[in-house]
C-alpha cells in the first residue's frame, strides 16, 4: 500500500538535451497546459472575392513581433502550393495507441466475430475470491473517507507499520480529514522510509531536497532517492536517471541513466517514455530491437498527454523517423500538440496548412495558427511573408479566430 506519489521534475528536457548534445535531436517545445481541443471561429474559409463584415475589427496588437524573441526552428515542409483550399476541421482528435500507415484497416471486433459465425461462446471462468490482506485504512482513503482512514491507520503507524505511516504522512501533507501539518508529515515519511516503504523513501527525499520542515540535506536526499529507485518506485527511477545525466553529462552518463529511464517508462511515467524514445533513436551501439521501439515509446508518451512527445510524434511521422512515413497521422499529432498550447507545434501546423502536408491547403487556418504562435513570441520570417501576401479579408478572419482561441483558453 502506498498513496500515489508526487512526481518531481529536475529540469528534464534541459538535462536530456544537454546529454544528447552530440546527436541530431528533434525539436523540444515548451509544454502547454491547456486542454482545449477545438479552435473556434475557423470552420469555413471565406470564398475568393468575399468580404468580411465591415464592423469586424482586427485585434492583433498582441501579435506584434518582438525583436528579442527567438526565431523558429527549421521547417519541416517540402510540398509545393498545389492543393485547393479546404474547410478547417474542428473535430476532437483521438489518435490511436500506435498510429498505423494504413488507416483503413479496422481491428476485429472479437466476440462479435464468433456471434456472427453462430459459435457458442465459452463460459467465463469463475472469479477467484481475494485471499490477500485487506487494508481497511487505505480502502477508506481510496473512497474519500479521509478521517476514517486516519483513525484506522494511526494505531498501526504508532506500532511501526510503514504503509500506515506513509498514509498518515500523506493525509497530513494534503490536509485530508485532518489539519495540514507538513512538519509531522515529514516525521512520518522518515519513519516509513526507514521501515522500507518505497513511496515514503521518495517523498522523504523530496522533503530533504527542498528543506521543507527539516534541514536541507542534498546528499541524504540523493541517498533516499536511489534507495527508492532500487526499490522500484517509478518517479524515483526517473529522478535518479536525471541525477546521473546531471552528474555525468555526455554519452557515458546517458548510457548509465538508460536502465533507470527504461524501468520508469515501463511503469507509465510519460517523461521517462519520452526520454527512452530519444535515447533509443540517438544512442550508438544499442541493439537493433531497441532502436526499432523508439517510435513505440514516443507514442506512449504522446498518448499519455505529454505535448512535447505529441509534437515529436508529428515530426517523426511526417519525416519517416523511426518507421514509415504517415503524413495524415503526422498532421493529426501536430494538431493535437498545437491545441494543447505547444507553440512550436502551432508554428509548424501553419506550415502544414500552407504546404498541404497531411491535409488540404487552408490559408486562413495557416494564418490563424501563425498569429497564435507569433503572439506567444515565436517569430518566423517565412510565415510572416506568407501572412503579408494573403488577402485582407483572410487576415481579418485569421485574427478573429485567433482572438476567440485566446479567449477560450
Amino acid at each position: 500500500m502506498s498513496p500515489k506519489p508526487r512526481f518531481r521534475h529536475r529540469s528534464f528536457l534541459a538535462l536530456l538535451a544537454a546529454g544528447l548534445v552530440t546527436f541530431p535531436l528533434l525539436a523540444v517545445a515548451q509544454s502547454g497546459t491547456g486542454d482545449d481541443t477545438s479552435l473556434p471561429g475557423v470552420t469555413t474559409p471565406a470564398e475568393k472575392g468575399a468580404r468580411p463584415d465591415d464592423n469586424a475589427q482586427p485585434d492583433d496588437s498582441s501579435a506584434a513581433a518582438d525583436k528579442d524573441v527567438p526565431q523558429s526552428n527549421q521547417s519541416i515542409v517540402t510540398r509545393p502550393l498545389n492543393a485547393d483550399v479546404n474547410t478547417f476541421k474542428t473535430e476532437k482528435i483521438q489518435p490511436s495507441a500506435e498510429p498505423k500507415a494504413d488507416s483503413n484497416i479496422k481491428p476485429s471486433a472479437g466476440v462479435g466475430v464468433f456471434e456472427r459465425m453462430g459459435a457458442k461462446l465459452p463460459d467465463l471462468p469463475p472469479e477467484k475470491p481475494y485471499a490477500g490482506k485487506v487494508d481497511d485504512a487505505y480502502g477508506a482513503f481510496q473512497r474519500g473517507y479521509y478521517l476514517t482512514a486516519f483513525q484506522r491507520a494511526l494505531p498501526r503507524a504508532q506500532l511501526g507499520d510503514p504503509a500506515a505511516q506513509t498514509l498518515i504522512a500523506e493525509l497530513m501533507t494534503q490536509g485530508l480529514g485532518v489539519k495540514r501539518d507538513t512538519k509531522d508529515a515529514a516525521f512520518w515519511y522518515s519513519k516509513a522510509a526507514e521501515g522500507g516503504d518505497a513511496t515514503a523513501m521518495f517523498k522523504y527525499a523530496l522533503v530533504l531536497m527542498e528543506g521543507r520542515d527539516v534541514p536541507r540535506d542534498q546528499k541524504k536526499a540523493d541517498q533516499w532517492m536511489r534507495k527508492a529507485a532500487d526499490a522500484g518506485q517509478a518517479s524515483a527511477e526517473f529522478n535518479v536517471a536525471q541525477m546521473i545525466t546531471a552528474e555525468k553529462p555526455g554519452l557515458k552518463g546517458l548510457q548509465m541513466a538508460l536502465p533507470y529511464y527504461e524501468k520508469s517508462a515501463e511503469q507509465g511515467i510519460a517523461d521517462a517514455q519520452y526520454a527512452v524514445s530519444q535515447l533509443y533513436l540517438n544512442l550508438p551501439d544499442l541493439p537493433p530491437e531497441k532502436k526499432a521501439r523508439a517510435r513505440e515509446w514516443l507514442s506512449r508518451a504522446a498518448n499519455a498527454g505529454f505535448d512535447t512527445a505529441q509534437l515529436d510524434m508529428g515530426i517523426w511521422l511526417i519525416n519517416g523517423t523511426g518507421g514509415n512515413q504517415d503524413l495524415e497521422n503526422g498532421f493529426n499529432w501536430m494538431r493535437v500538440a498545437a491545441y494543447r498550447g505547444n507553440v512550436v507545434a502551432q508554428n509548424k501546423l501553419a506550415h502544414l496548412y500552407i504546404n498541404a502536408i497531411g491535409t488540404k491547403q487552408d490559408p486562413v487556418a495557416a494564418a490563424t495558427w501563425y498569429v497564435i504562435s507569433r503572439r506567444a513570441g515565436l517569430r518566423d520570417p517565412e510565415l510572416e511573408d506568407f501572412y503579408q501576401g494573403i488577402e485582407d479579408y483572410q487576415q481579418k478572419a485569421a485574427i478573429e479566430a485567433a482572438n476567440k482561441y485566446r479567449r477560450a483558453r
Side-chain angles (χ1 to χ4, degrees), residues 25-90:
L25 281 182
L26 296 172
V28 175
Q30 58 189 1
S31 296
T33 57
D35 293 322
D36 183 44
T37 56
S38 63
L39 182 64
V42 187
T43 53
T44 305
E47 296 295 332
K48 183 71 176 178
R51 291 294 181 267
D53 186 348
D54 292 337
N55 295 324
Q57 297 295 326
D59 177 17
D60 198 23
S61 58
S62 62
D66 189 339
K67 294 181 180 180
D68 298 324
V69 295
Q71 299 290 335
S72 64
N73 58 349
Q74 64 180 12
S75 174
I76 58 171
V77 298
T78 57
R79 182 172 298 181
L81 304 176
N82 59 358
D84 297 329
V85 175
N86 184 41
T87 301
F88 182 66
K89 302 176 183 178
T90 59

Side-chain angles (χ1 to χ4, degrees), residues 208-226:
L208 291 166
M209 192 181 301
E210 297 169 0
R212 186 182 72 235
D213 302 309
V214 298
R216 189 177 185 277
D217 191 331
Q218 187 64 49
K219 182 178 179 180
K220 194 174 180 181
D222 290 348
Q223 291 173 347
W224 280 116
M225 190 68 74
R226 288 181 181 273

Side-chain angles (χ1 to χ4, degrees), residues 254-299:
L254 291 171
Q255 291 172 333
M256 293 174 61
L258 180 57
Y260 286 101
Y261 280 131
E262 290 174 322
K263 292 176 184 178
S264 181
E266 290 286 358
Q267 297 195 64
I269 301 298
D271 302 65
Q273 293 169 343
Y274 178 80
V276 169
S277 74
Q278 303 300 307
L279 295 179
Y280 276 9
L281 181 70
N282 292 289
L283 281 181
D285 303 324
L286 284 181
E289 56 269 21
K290 285 194 174 183
K291 287 191 172 292
R293 296 188 65 197
R295 186 186 283 188
E296 174 191 336
W297 282 113
L298 184 63
S299 177

Side-chain angles (χ1 to χ4, degrees), residues 115-327:
E115 289 174 340
R116 286 194 295 273
M117 292 173 62
K120 183 181 183 300
L121 295 176
D123 295 330
L124 293 173
E127 185 174 347
K128 296 180 180 179
Y130 177 69
K133 184 179 179 181
V134 177
D135 191 329
D136 293 336
Y138 191 58
F141 174 82
Q142 289 181 310
R143 295 192 302 272
Y145 300 134
Y146 302 124
L147 181 57
T148 300
F150 183 88
Q151 292 170 340
R152 292 180 178 177
L154 184 59
R156 289 166 45 195
Q158 292 170 331
L159 293 174
D161 184 333
Q165 291 169 339
T166 302
L167 180 55
I168 291 293
E170 193 69 15
L171 291 168
M172 287 183 167
T173 297
Q174 301 185 46
L176 300 174
V178 294
K179 182 179 178 181
R180 187 170 184 268
D181 190 336
T182 56
K183 186 174 183 180
D184 280 355
F187 167 80
W188 285 114
Y189 277 137
S190 68
K191 291 298 181 184
E194 291 168 0
D197 187 271
T199 296
M201 294 176 188
F202 172 66
K203 293 294 187 74
Y204 189 48
L206 295 181
V207 171
L208 291 166
M209 192 181 301
E210 297 169 0
R212 186 182 72 235
D213 302 309
V214 298
R216 189 177 185 277
D217 191 331
Q218 187 64 49
K219 182 178 179 180
K220 194 174 180 181
D222 290 348
Q223 291 173 347
W224 280 116
M225 190 68 74
R226 288 181 181 273
K227 288 182 179 180
D230 292 339
Q233 212 284 332
S235 294
E237 290 167 342
F238 175 80
N239 275 267
V240 168
Q242 294 293 89
M243 289 163 51
I244 293 173
T245 57
E247 294 167 359
K248 300 180 182 297
L251 178 60
K252 185 176 180 180
L254 291 171
Q255 291 172 333
M256 293 174 61
L258 180 57
Y260 286 101
Y261 280 131
E262 290 174 322
K263 292 176 184 178
S264 181
E266 290 286 358
Q267 297 195 64
I269 301 298
D271 302 65
Q273 293 169 343
Y274 178 80
V276 169
S277 74
Q278 303 300 307
L279 295 179
Y280 276 9
L281 181 70
N282 292 289
L283 281 181
D285 303 324
L286 284 181
E289 56 269 21
K290 285 194 174 183
K291 287 191 172 292
R293 296 188 65 197
R295 186 186 283 188
E296 174 191 336
W297 282 113
L298 184 63
S299 177
R300 291 191 187 188
N303 277 281
F306 191 13
D307 73 307
T308 301
Q310 293 167 346
L311 164 68
D312 279 7
M313 196 72 202
I315 295 173
W316 285 27
L317 287 165
I318 290 169
N319 290 343
T321 303
N324 295 330
Q325 187 180 58
D326 187 341
L327 299 181

